[in-house]
Amino acid sequence: MNELYIFWNIFFGLVIILTILFSYLLIRKVHEIRTRQQIEEYKDRTRGTMFKYLYEGSTSRLLLPDHPLKITAMEELLSDFSHIIEGMATGERIQWFAEKFFADEYRKILFHRRWSIRMNTLYLIEEFHMESLLPDVLQLYKKGHVSRAEEGQILKMLAVFDHPDIFHFFTHTKYNLSELTYRVIYGSLSEEMFEQFVEKFEELPKTLQFTLVDMIGIKNRLEYGSFLESLLTSEDMEIRIRSLKAISQVGYVLPTEQLLTHLHSDSWPERIMAIKICGMLRLDEYVPYLMELMKDRMFQVRSQSAQAISNYPNGAAILQTIIDTTEDTFARDMALEWLERGNER
Amino acid sequence: MTIVVETWLTILTGIGWFVFFFMLFVISFYAFLLVVSLIDIRAKYQLDDFEPYEEMLEASYTKPVSILVPAYNESVGIRASVLSLLSIDYPEYEVIAINDGSKDDTLQVLIDNFDLVKINKVIRGQIKTKQVRAVYQSKMYKNLIVVDKENGGKADALNVGINISKYPYFCSMDGDSVLESDAFLKVMKPIIESNGDVIVSGGSIRIANGCEVEGGKVKAIGLSTNPFVIMQVIEYLRAFLMGRISLSRYNLLLIVSGAFGVFSRQWVIDVGGYSHTVGEDMELVVKLHRLIRERKSNKQIVYVTDPVCWTEAPESMKYLRKQRSRWHRGLFESLWMHRKLIFNPKYGAIGLVSMPYFLIVEFLGPVVELIGYIVMIISPFLGGVYLEMAVLLFLVSMIYGSVFSMAAVVLEEWSLRKFPNVSDITRLFLFSLTETLWYRPLTVLWRCEGILHIIRKKQGWGEMKRKGVSK
């Protein structure tokens, strides 16, 4: 019968597929366990020698990666050590070793078809600080079809290696990178480069402006305080909010007049950030405004005000006054919560 | 007489063909999912998984998360799970344990172990919930909050947690599961990388039975010897590695496991929080998809393969049966409450692909399969060609199931979490061959039982309808 014949064929086809799958899994597992063992053996045998090389610079034939598995073993050893030991000399030795023995291989696999291999290579080039591969990395980048993650990593490497054209690359990205990536790249820039970015602030795309402001706050760069203040006149609300946040982080003293306009802003995130600055500077003249803001219609604003007040040396007394005098139940509840939280400290 | 027999045979053949084509449709759908997953996982094969997360460990780069742990009568396990959550690798987070009016001493265990003191916390009632009795804070861990509330069910407990949480994202956790220490970094990555376009990110679930778990951490991966557990291991691999990767790729994902998922607090509040259903986790995701479409927003719900939450699977038939029947009821409730979406082009791919898939394949599939099994059992008595046909059909279904199972194991081997021994692979293979003989029919029966439960509790429907409207 025709149908039966078809079924038999399907059945045998499936059996063949299943056999292939199962054999693949088995062979792979056996192979994997064995290579892992060999790599571990190599690592155990050379760990001491590698340590001596990194500390004293004494080379040995034992470290010669003359076998593909040995390359992997050396890579892992170097990577482990680079996380543990610090110091200029060691860093240079790691770089020298990697450039001598891994560079040729990396130059090839940097253009591998599989994404994960390219990605791993990029990570290793950065980790071992292999500057000699920078032209190859740039070639990969310019060639066109890199992924978003690769672009982020490549730009970060350009920042780490202090590439002169970083500004151009950074402002002309192929993808919309995430704010996290931008921050990481800003964080890897040298002082001089970072300053250049601040100087050319107006030329930057919006996201780059936002993250640059964030980074000033995160890195606590008080020297850019007046720059942040100048941004507060911006038309863009997001810029104002982020600048206020950064100001509260670096501890820059804002003129009271200026602060008041933001405390009374129509946008509640802006009010919150301004309140944060009050809580950080803790000047007596802010207290009446903060007490007023405890009656704000936004929960977050009330909460932030109470927190700012509890930061004051006499914060508990102020909160107690609010509890005793106010008719606003929202303000009283919030004051109660923060009075208690203050006591815990 | 012969006419009766012949009619019978025709009907039987008809049913047989129907079942056959239904299965063919299901298999091709699965095959499609498999191919998408294979391509996706292969690209990430052997990626060094530490490097990308190094930077994220710095607080200023990430977004803080509130972890919600609802607890009802869990005085035995609650201490360990809270402790393990307090030691995860994440820069900024708070743990909120919610005692849902337990009848045992869950609350007292927490108070004693974590040095809790009552605080006057102002709670924003953004979602309506049962009364909160008291809020406590730990003196030892400032980021641990414990809420004591009137009993109202898991959904209600989670909603209270959402009201109290102070961070923009929250994660729901089952009390009895164990997280890998970097799981949070990994599950948060898509949210951070997308600048907030991802509003839900779900991780993988694996089965902890057979693994070595110590101090709230998985020390060594192993495979249990219990047949029910091994079958569930295979099931989970298939579900997570094959199904969810591909569905997530097309923003079609309807299930983010209640045991491990991160949600945008604001979006969940906008849909009114969790609903009081059996499958509150699926229902929430459907609601979120619905709101995304209604707002014409480009927000996404994604699944990430790598971060894993290890959970304990039922080892006995009794509890497995209860679990499956409950899951099936939960699935039905989500489908029923949002039946408006099914085949509704206004909801795009969710209405045209995801919802119909869950209705036809996941919900009604077991019924069709049950009919298939019955036909297979009857046919031998009719003799001749039908016997051979039945045996063949059976063999084919046995093999095709194993092919998918082994493909899922290949996917797992290509990712970072692996079974350590050759014997584990062999055992997975052998057990997958037996699936059609016992495990599959059993789960089909249990799921059909779930449908029976739905039909029998007729009044339950009315109740659900009311909730669907008040959303």
Side-chain angles (χ1 to χ4, degrees):
Chain A
M1 222 182 119
N2 206 11
E3 287 130 16
L4 269 181
Y5 177 74
I6 293 172
F7 273 134
W8 273 116
N9 279 333
I10 294 175
F11 176 68
F12 285 121
L14 285 172
V15 169
I16 291 167
I17 295 175
L18 188 61
T19 319
I20 294 171
L21 271 177
F22 183 55
S23 339
Y24 168 76
L25 276 171
L26 276 190
I27 295 168
R28 208 180 155 279
K29 187 98 262 180
V30 171
H31 177 75
E32 192 186 82
I33 292 174
R34 210 170 36 208
T35 49
R36 193 68 248 169
Q37 255 172 4
Q38 275 174 304
I39 291 173
E40 290 304 324
E41 265 169 39
Y42 275 131
K43 279 171 84 175
D44 286 342
R45 233 185 304 146
T46 50
R47 188 169 278 122
T49 325
M50 181 62 94
F51 188 74
K52 252 176 121 180
Y53 162 71
L54 291 179
Y55 252 96
E56 299 160 6
S58 55
T59 48
S60 158
R61 247 176 0 103
L62 206 62
L63 292 178
L64 215 63
D66 46 13
H67 188 274
L69 288 185
K70 219 168 162 184
I71 293 190
T72 316
M74 296 290 133
E75 258 173 26
E76 286 179 13
L77 269 184
L78 273 187
S79 175
D80 291 349
F81 278 126
S82 77
H83 283 127
I84 308 166
I85 42 180
E86 302 265 326
M88 279 296 276
T90 350
E92 273 169 25
R93 280 180 200 133
I94 289 175
Q95 186 188 348
W96 183 86
F97 191 95
E99 295 207 328
K100 186 158 171 67
F101 295 115
F102 306 152
D104 289 339
E105 172 74 6
Y106 288 2
R107 239 171 233 129
K108 251 188 293 163
I109 56 175
L110 198 50
F111 296 88
H112 198 278
R113 265 183 52 228
R114 197 190 303 148
W115 175 79
S116 58
I117 291 183
R118 299 199 301 271
M119 220 44 217
N120 281 341
T121 314
L122 287 173
Y123 289 138
L124 287 171
I125 293 175
E126 188 205 328
E127 190 169 2
F128 300 147
H129 218 94
M130 299 164 76
E131 269 192 88
S132 70
L133 285 178
L134 206 53
D136 303 85
V137 172
L138 273 177
Q139 198 196 330
L140 171 72
Y141 184 50
K142 286 175 183 161
K143 229 181 55 182
H145 51 264
V146 287
S147 68
R148 190 167 175 249
E150 280 169 274
E151 173 163 50
Q153 178 59 23
I154 291 173
L155 288 178
K156 186 189 165 202
M157 269 159 67
L158 294 179
V160 170
F161 295 146
D162 220 11
H163 194 275
D165 294 335
I166 178 81
F167 188 87
H168 171 79
F169 288 123
F170 203 22
T171 46
H172 294 83
T173 52
K174 301 177 192 224
Y175 296 87
N176 262 328
L177 300 179
S178 69
E179 294 200 359
L180 169 75
T181 315
Y182 286 129
R183 286 184 193 173
V184 168
I185 297 169
Y186 276 132
S188 315
L189 286 175
S190 66
E191 297 272 315
E192 297 79 43
M193 266 314 168
F194 192 80
E195 220 175 293
Q196 267 193 41
F197 274 83
V198 176
E199 274 162 25
K200 295 184 188 164
F201 188 79
E202 291 304 321
E203 295 170 36
L204 295 173
K206 276 272 177 277
T207 330
L208 282 174
Q209 292 189 342
F210 296 156
T211 40
L212 182 67
V213 172
D214 293 344
M215 224 37 213
I216 294 175
I218 291 169
K219 292 269 168 189
N220 236 319
R221 308 288 287 270
L222 184 56
E223 65 268 35
Y224 292 112
S226 54
F227 166 70
L228 291 175
E229 188 185 338
S230 73
L231 294 180
L232 291 177
T233 52
S234 165
E235 292 286 296
D236 188 334
M237 191 169 72
E238 189 66 29
I239 281 282
R240 293 202 306 271
I241 293 170
R242 295 202 192 210
S243 304
L244 286 169
K245 185 175 182 192
I247 287 174
S248 80
Q249 284 166 323
V250 300
Y252 177 76
V253 183
L254 210 57
T256 308
E257 286 287 293
Q258 179 83 44
L259 191 56
L260 279 182
T261 57
H262 301 294
L263 278 176
H264 297 132
S265 161
D266 288 337
S267 109
W268 62 266
E270 201 171 326
R271 292 204 291 279
I272 285 187
M273 292 307 164
I275 294 168
K276 271 195 176 164
I277 300 179
C278 298
M280 187 264 312
L281 296 176
R282 290 177 294 190
L283 298 183
D284 285 336
E285 52 187 301
Y286 303 150
V287 174
Y289 304 112
L290 289 176
M291 285 173 78
E292 197 50 40
L293 284 161
M294 291 276 304
K295 296 177 203 155
D296 196 280
R297 65 197 157 76
M298 289 303 295
F299 176 92
Q300 294 97 322
V301 175
R302 298 198 297 273
S303 175
Q304 193 66 52
S305 311
Q307 187 180 353
I309 293 174
S310 76
N311 268 349
Y312 276 68
N314 59 337
I318 304 172
L319 288 172
Q320 192 60 54
T321 320
I322 296 172
I323 294 165
D324 295 340
T325 57
T326 189
E327 273 157 34
D328 187 322
T329 47
F330 291 117
R332 185 185 306 123
D333 286 347
M334 196 55 89
L336 259 173
E337 179 183 337
W338 282 93
L339 183 63
E340 243 177 32
R341 285 212 204 174
N343 286 342
E344 288 163 19
R345 281 193 207 119
Chain B
M1 193 61 196
T2 42
I3 296 173
V4 177
V5 170
E6 242 160 56
T7 327
W8 244 113
L9 282 180
T10 326
I11 292 175
L12 210 57
T13 321
I15 295 175
W17 280 112
F18 171 71
V19 172
F20 174 73
F21 279 111
F22 183 84
M23 296 315 280
L24 201 67
F25 168 73
V26 173
I27 293 169
S28 3
F29 190 74
Y30 283 151
F32 168 72
L33 295 184
L34 174 64
V35 171
V36 175
S37 302
L38 277 171
I39 295 169
D40 192 85
I41 290 206
R42 185 67 190 177
K44 294 180 192 135
Y45 178 50
Q46 286 177 338
L47 181 70
D48 185 341
D49 76 320
F50 176 68
E51 301 290 343
Y53 300 100
E54 222 173 344
E55 285 132 1
M56 276 179 68
L57 265 174
E58 207 166 316
S60 42
Y61 294 156
T62 47
K63 293 190 167 135
V65 183
S66 304
I67 305 171
L68 313 182
V69 191
Y72 179 68
N73 293 346
E74 294 205 36
S75 74
V76 187
I78 191 73
R79 182 183 160 271
S81 46
V82 169
L83 258 185
S84 105
L85 285 174
L86 286 168
S87 67
I88 56 167
D89 264 352
Y90 200 76
E92 203 181 358
Y93 65 96
E94 60 176 352
V95 176
I96 302 175
I98 306 116
N99 175 38
D100 190 36
S102 297
K103 292 195 183 83
D104 66 358
D105 58 345
T106 304
L107 182 65
Q108 200 53 46
V109 168
L110 286 167
I111 291 177
D112 294 346
N113 278 294
F114 297 101
D115 205 355
L116 300 180
V117 284
K118 223 179 224 181
I119 55 168
N120 269 309
K121 194 161 177 61
V122 186
I123 303 169
R124 299 171 78 187
Q126 288 179 300
I127 305 172
K128 245 185 121 51
T129 63
K130 286 265 167 69
Q131 192 68 36
V132 171
R133 291 187 200 137
V135 182
Y136 301 83
Q137 190 177 24
S138 164
K139 280 175 138 175
M140 299 148 79
Y141 306 94
K142 286 278 180 254
N143 58 342
L144 171 62
I145 302 238
V146 174
V147 189
D148 185 30
K149 66 178 279 288
E150 308 275 331
N151 179 271
K154 189 175 173 189
D156 196 60
L158 285 167
N159 287 340
V160 166
I162 295 170
N163 277 340
I164 287 188
S165 66
K166 61 176 174 186
Y167 293 138
Y169 292 90
F170 75 84
C171 171
S172 60
M173 282 284 307
D174 275 358
D176 52 357
S177 37
V178 174
L179 273 184
E180 288 181 358
S181 63
D182 58 355
F184 258 97
L185 286 175
K186 290 180 172 172
V187 83
M188 279 304 285
K189 197 172 186 238
I191 292 179
I192 293 162
E193 294 257 274
S194 71
N195 294 337
D197 275 347
V198 170
I199 55 168
V200 181
S201 171
S204 287
I205 313 285
R206 292 285 190 285
I207 289 173
N209 312 41
C211 298
E212 224 176 282
V213 182
E214 209 182 286
K217 298 242 153 68
V218 173
K219 293 270 179 231
I221 298 174
L223 188 61
S224 165
T225 48
N226 179 318
F228 279 104
V229 175
I230 298 180
M231 288 322 302
Q232 288 179 81
V233 167
I234 296 174
E235 253 187 331
Y236 276 54
L237 288 181
R238 273 198 315 238
F240 282 96
L241 291 169
M242 275 172 50
R244 296 201 186 174
I245 290 181
S246 357
L247 290 177
S248 158
R249 202 184 175 91
Y250 301 102
N251 202 18
L252 290 173
L253 194 64
L254 281 192
I255 297 186
V256 167
S257 170
F260 184 33
V262 175
F263 296 80
S264 150
R265 185 173 180 272
Q266 193 51 54
W267 275 80
V268 172
I269 288 173
D270 289 349
V271 296
Y274 286 93
S275 304
H276 301 257
T277 65
V278 191
E280 75 287 330
D281 46 354
M282 173 177 182
E283 203 273 339
L284 177 67
V285 176
V286 177
K287 267 197 293 202
L288 287 169
H289 266 302
R290 200 171 165 167
L291 188 65
I292 291 173
R293 300 284 166 173
E294 279 162 7
R295 285 184 178 172
K296 299 197 173 26
S297 152
N298 60 351
K299 301 288 180 200
Q300 279 180 312
I301 291 175
V302 303
Y303 157 71
V304 212
T305 354
D306 210 21
V308 161
C309 172
W310 296 84
T311 189
E312 205 180 323
E315 299 213 337
S316 75
M317 214 156 114
K318 186 181 154 201
Y319 288 106
L320 189 62
R321 174 178 169 186
K322 273 193 184 159
Q323 183 195 51
R324 292 309 151 100
S325 152
R326 197 182 64 233
W327 282 2
H328 217 64
R329 268 190 337 230
L331 173 64
F332 171 76
E333 287 185 9
S334 295
L335 290 171
W336 181 253
M337 285 165 82
H338 300 282
R339 57 190 180 281
K340 200 181 122 192
L341 269 63
I342 303 174
F343 292 119
N344 188 339
K346 249 176 50 198
Y347 292 92
I350 289 294
L352 294 177
V353 182
S354 284
M355 291 294 279
Y357 162 75
F358 275 96
L359 174 71
I360 297 166
V361 179
E362 294 289 331
F363 184 70
L364 295 175
V367 179
V368 179
E369 264 184 73
L370 187 68
I371 297 172
Y373 283 120
I374 294 170
V375 171
M376 257 186 235
I377 292 169
I378 304 179
S379 337
F381 299 108
L382 302 170
V385 76
Y386 290 98
L387 176 68
E388 204 175 342
M389 192 81 156
V391 172
L392 249 180
L393 253 177
F394 184 74
L395 285 176
V396 168
S397 64
M398 192 165 123
I399 297 286
Y400 105 80
S402 310
V403 169
F404 279 120
S405 302
M406 283 301 107
V409 177
V410 170
L411 289 174
E412 175 84 338
E413 285 291 309
W414 283 357
S415 72
L416 300 152
R417 217 157 284 90
K418 334 185 140 167
F419 292 100
N421 303 316
V422 179
S423 66
D424 296 333
I425 305 275
T426 321
R427 267 197 297 153
L428 285 174
F429 173 69
L430 292 177
F431 272 95
S432 79
L433 280 177
T434 69
E435 185 177 8
T436 327
L437 291 172
W438 61 287
Y439 188 76
R440 187 86 195 171
L442 278 177
T443 49
V444 163
L445 268 180
W446 295 332
R447 287 158 82 184
C448 289
E449 197 178 46
I451 299 180
L452 277 184
H453 284 306
I454 299 163
I455 297 170
R456 241 185 268 144
K457 285 182 197 148
K458 271 230 153 158
Q459 64 272 59
W461 288 32
E463 197 186 321
M464 262 180 315
K465 232 189 249 167
R466 186 171 52 77
K467 268 178 201 145
V469 173
S470 70
K471 188 204 72 159

